[in-house]
C-alpha cells in the first residue's frame, strides 16, 4: 500500500487520540492509516487486536504508509477484564500524554454459521458474549475516557462535540440468512446498542455512529476498487474521519457503505 498522501510538508503536532479495536490487516489498517496520517486526521492511534504478532505487522505497515504518526499497540480480546486493562494502559501511556480522545472505533470481526439444531446454548452465548459483550465494555470504557478528557457538561451548555464512537456493522445487523442465528443476533444487538447510545449520548455531546459495510473491504487501491467491486480500507477510513469531523448541526447516525457494483 502506498502512503495515503504526499508527505513533503513538515508534520504538525497531533491533535488528539483515536482508539481502534479490530486493528487487522484490512479495514482496521485503512482506518488507522487515514486517522493517523499527518495530512488527514493527524491523530495518535491506539491499535487493539487479539494477537501481538498481527499488531506488529499492522504497525510496521502504518509506519511506512503513515510516516511521522504516533502508533501504539495493545493486544487484547473482548473480555471485560482484558479490555479494561488495555484502556488503563492507554490512559497511562507516555505517547498519549495530554492527548484527548477524539474517535473510538469498534470494528471487531464476528462470524458464525451453523445449522440451528446443531448449535449449542453454550456456543450461542459465547458468540454473543465475545461480540456484544465486547461492544458493551468497549463502549463504556471509551465513554468514560471521553468524559474524563472533555468533561461532562451537556451540549446545550458548551455547544462542543466531545468525540465520536463508531461501530462497524454489516448487513447481518438488518437481515441474515439461514444458519446464521448467532451472527444475526450479535450484529443486530450491537446495532441496537448504537441506537440507544446515540439517543442517550447526543445531548451530552457524543456522536454515536453505526455503519453497515455491505461488501468486501481490502487494504488495496487496485482494479477491484477502480471498478467498484470491492471497497478500499482507506475509503472507509476517510468516511470515518469525515464522520468524526461532523459538527453538532448535523450528525450521521447510520451509514450504509458498499462498493458501486455490489447488488442490493
Amino acid at each position: 500500500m502506498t502512503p495515503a498522501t504526499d508527505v513533503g510538508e513538515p508534520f504538525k503536532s497531533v491533535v488528539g487520540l483515536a482508539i481502534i479495536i479490530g486493528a487487522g490487516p484490512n479495514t482496521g489498517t485503512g482506518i488507522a492509516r487515514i486517522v493517523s496520517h499527518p495530512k488527514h486526521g493527524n491523530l495518535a492511534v491506539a491499535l487493539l487486536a487479539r494477537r501481538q504478532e498481527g499488531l506488529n505487522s499492522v504497525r510496521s505497515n502504518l509506519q511506512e504508509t503513515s510516516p511521522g504518526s504516533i502508533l501504539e499497540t495493545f493486544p487484547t480480546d473482548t473480555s471485560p477484564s482484558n479490555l479494561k486493562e488495555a484502556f488503563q494502559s492507554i490512559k497511562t501511556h507516555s505517547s498519549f500524554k495530554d492527548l484527548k480522545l477524539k474517535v473510538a472505533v469498534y470494528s471487531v470481526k464476528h462470524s458464525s454459521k451453523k445449522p440451528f439444531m446443531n448449535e449449542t446454548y453454550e456456543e450461542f452465548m459465547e458468540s454473543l458474549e465475545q461480540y456484544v459483550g465486547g461492544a458493551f465494555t468497549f463502549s463504556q470504557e471509551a465513554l468514560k475516557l471521553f468524559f474524563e478528557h472533555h468533561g461532562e457538561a451537556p451540549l446545550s451548555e458548551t455547544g462542543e462535540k466531545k468525540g465520536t464512537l463508531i461501530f462497524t456493522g454489516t448487513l447481518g445487523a438488518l437481515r441474515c440468512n439461514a444458519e446464521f442465528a448467532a451472527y444475526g443476533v450479535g450484529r443486530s444487538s450491537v446495532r441496537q446498542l448504537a441506537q440507544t447510545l446515540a439517543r442517550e449520548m447526543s445531548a451530552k455531546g457524543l456522536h454515536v455512529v453505526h455503519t453497515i459495510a455491505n461488501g468486501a473491504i481490502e487494504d488495496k487501491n487496485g482494479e477491484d476498487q477502480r471498478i467498484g467491486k470491492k471497497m478500499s480500507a482507506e475509503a472507509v477510513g476517510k468516511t470515518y474521519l469525515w464522520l468524526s469531523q461532523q459538527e453538532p448541526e448535523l450528525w450521521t447516525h447510520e451509514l450504509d457503505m458498499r462498493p458501486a457494483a455490489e447488488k442490493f
Side-chain angles (χ1 to χ4, degrees):
M1 196 72 184
T2 57
T5 188
D6 177 64
V7 293
E9 298 177 10
F11 299 132
K12 299 177 182 179
S13 298
V14 295
V15 297
L17 171 65
I19 300 174
I20 302 171
I21 186 167
N26 284 300
T27 309
T29 296
I31 296 169
R33 182 179 300 114
I34 294 299
V35 300
S36 69
H37 200 286
K39 296 288 189 66
H40 290 285
N42 200 24
L43 298 172
V45 178
L47 300 162
L48 282 63
R50 288 178 179 272
R51 295 170 46 253
Q52 183 63 60
E53 310 92 275
L55 285 169
N56 291 342
S57 177
V58 168
R59 187 183 186 196
S60 177
N61 177 312
L62 293 171
Q63 286 174 331
E64 293 183 7
T65 58
S66 182
S69 56
I70 296 175
L71 306 154
E72 301 295 347
T73 62
F74 303 86
T76 181
D77 58 17
T78 57
S79 66
S81 58
N82 288 340
L83 266 179
K84 289 177 181 180
E85 183 179 346
F87 268 85
Q88 185 59 37
S89 297
I90 291 168
K91 285 175 61 175
T92 58
H93 201 289
S94 59
S95 293
F96 305 143
K97 181 177 171 56
D98 299 326
L99 294 179
K100 294 182 178 182
L101 181 61
K102 298 287 188 181
V103 188
V105 179
Y106 188 78
S107 193
V108 174
K109 282 187 175 181
H110 177 237
S111 60
S112 177
K113 183 179 186 295
K114 182 176 292 188
F116 184 71
M117 298 307 292
N118 294 342
E119 189 91 68
T120 67
Y121 177 84
E122 291 75 18
E123 290 169 337
F124 185 81
M125 295 306 296
E126 181 182 14
S127 174
L128 298 187
E129 183 177 358
Q130 290 176 353
Y131 186 66
V132 184
F136 171 86
T137 303
F138 182 84
S139 300
Q140 277 201 338
E141 294 303 308
L143 290 167
K144 289 176 187 176
L145 203 53
F146 279 125
F147 289 130
E148 180 180 328
H149 289 174
H150 300 275
E152 297 190 21
L155 184 64
S156 60
E157 289 183 11
T158 66
E160 294 181 358
K161 179 176 182 175
K162 292 181 174 66
T164 306
L165 172 61
I166 303 175
F167 299 89
T168 304
T170 66
L171 195 59
L174 302 179
R175 60 182 185 271
C176 61
N177 293 322
E179 301 185 357
F180 283 93
Y183 175 78
V185 172
R187 288 290 186 177
S188 59
S189 295
V190 171
R191 180 177 182 241
Q192 292 300 315
L193 174 64
Q195 283 190 18
T196 190
L197 287 178
R199 293 186 171 103
E200 181 178 351
M201 297 298 165
S202 290
K204 299 179 181 182
L206 282 156
H207 180 193
V208 181
V209 183
H210 180 262
T211 67
I212 298 172
N214 183 11
I217 302 171
E218 292 182 330
D219 189 27
K220 296 179 181 178
N221 285 313
E223 181 65 11
D224 283 344
Q225 284 71 37
R226 188 187 70 82
I227 63 173
K229 185 177 179 181
K230 296 179 181 179
M231 290 179 271
S232 77
E234 281 193 6
V236 176
K238 289 174 183 177
T239 299
Y240 282 15
L241 180 61
W242 168 72
L243 289 166
S244 75
Q245 293 171 340
Q246 289 182 345
E247 295 297 335
E249 68 267 22
L250 188 155
W251 281 356
T252 299
H253 168 62
E254 189 155 74
L255 183 66
D256 196 46
M257 306 187 300
R258 64 169 60 88
E262 185 74 20
K263 293 182 179 180
F264 64 101

